Amino acid sequence: MTNYPEGEIREMIDIYEERGMNRADAKVVVETMAKYEQFFVDVMMKEELELQVPEDNHTLGSFKEGVIMFFSFAIFGTFPLLGYIIIPICFPTLGPESLFISACAVTGLVLFFMGCVKSLFSVGKWYISGLETLLLGGTCATVAFTIGQAMDNLID
């Protein structure tokens, strides 16, 4: 808005016109909004760029979300590793292949459980959310494992 206000105003008029407003009305609306620069920038962010206007305390909120994400990742990321620690202690005769399969099973259970927990914060059904997370996480894990195997074969 500071560098080229005429262009921004023209773009917003075009947007309102595309949405069904006639050009004269769109021009009146946009030019009225443009008198209030911060208001106009907020509307422009939402209408033109489809971005949400951050709240006043967005820094604190972002920090809290980051901390929650870190601890969630650390906690849920540890569970599959426990399969490599607890299962060999309980079943010392298992070979590497059985250990890998059991770790995959533990990872699958953790992914499903994580999806179920996610459903508490969304509107989806718990089992659908659990299956979705299991499928997405399982696909990502499979792709990562396959790439790792391919790289290992290239190095050997």
Side-chain angles (χ1 to χ4, degrees):
M1 187 69 182
T2 305
N3 296 332
Y4 188 49
E6 301 83 19
E8 298 297 344
I9 290 170
R10 225 179 1 255
E11 286 178 24
M12 288 298 289
I13 291 171
D14 292 342
I15 289 171
Y16 284 124
E17 228 182 337
E18 287 172 10
R19 292 188 177 178
M21 196 178 278
N22 70 46
R23 187 145 189 96
D25 288 344
K27 189 174 181 182
V28 169
V29 169
V30 172
E31 286 177 352
T32 302
M33 286 190 302
K35 292 178 184 176
Y36 307 92
E37 188 173 332
Q38 188 56 51
F39 176 76
F40 185 76
V41 169
D42 290 349
V43 171
M44 200 170 61
M45 282 180 62
K46 194 166 187 159
E47 298 292 324
E48 181 183 349
L49 304 174
E50 297 180 7
L51 297 172
Q52 292 296 322
V53 179
E55 297 175 12
D56 291 336
N57 66 344
H58 74 278
T59 305
L60 179 61
S62 296
F63 177 75
K64 286 180 182 177
E65 288 174 10
V67 169
I68 290 169
M69 182 67 73
F70 170 77
F71 282 109
S72 297
F73 182 79
I75 291 167
F76 281 107
T78 302
F79 288 134
L81 297 177
L82 293 177
Y84 280 108
I85 297 168
I86 295 172
I87 292 174
I89 292 171
C90 296
F91 306 100
T93 58
L94 284 181
E97 236 177 71
S98 298
L99 185 59
F100 176 73
I101 291 169
S102 63
C104 289
V106 169
T107 300
L109 289 170
V110 169
L111 286 169
F112 184 79
F113 176 71
M114 193 167 57
C116 293
V117 171
K118 180 182 78 169
S119 74
L120 297 173
F121 305 100
S122 64
V123 294
K125 295 180 178 163
W126 66 270
Y127 55 89
I128 298 291
S129 186
L131 284 173
E132 179 183 69
T133 303
L134 172 62
L135 288 173
L136 288 171
T139 301
C140 292
T142 302
V143 168
F145 178 78
T146 304
I147 290 171
Q149 287 292 98
M151 292 297 116
D152 189 42
N153 291 338
L154 285 174
I155 293 172
D156 286 342

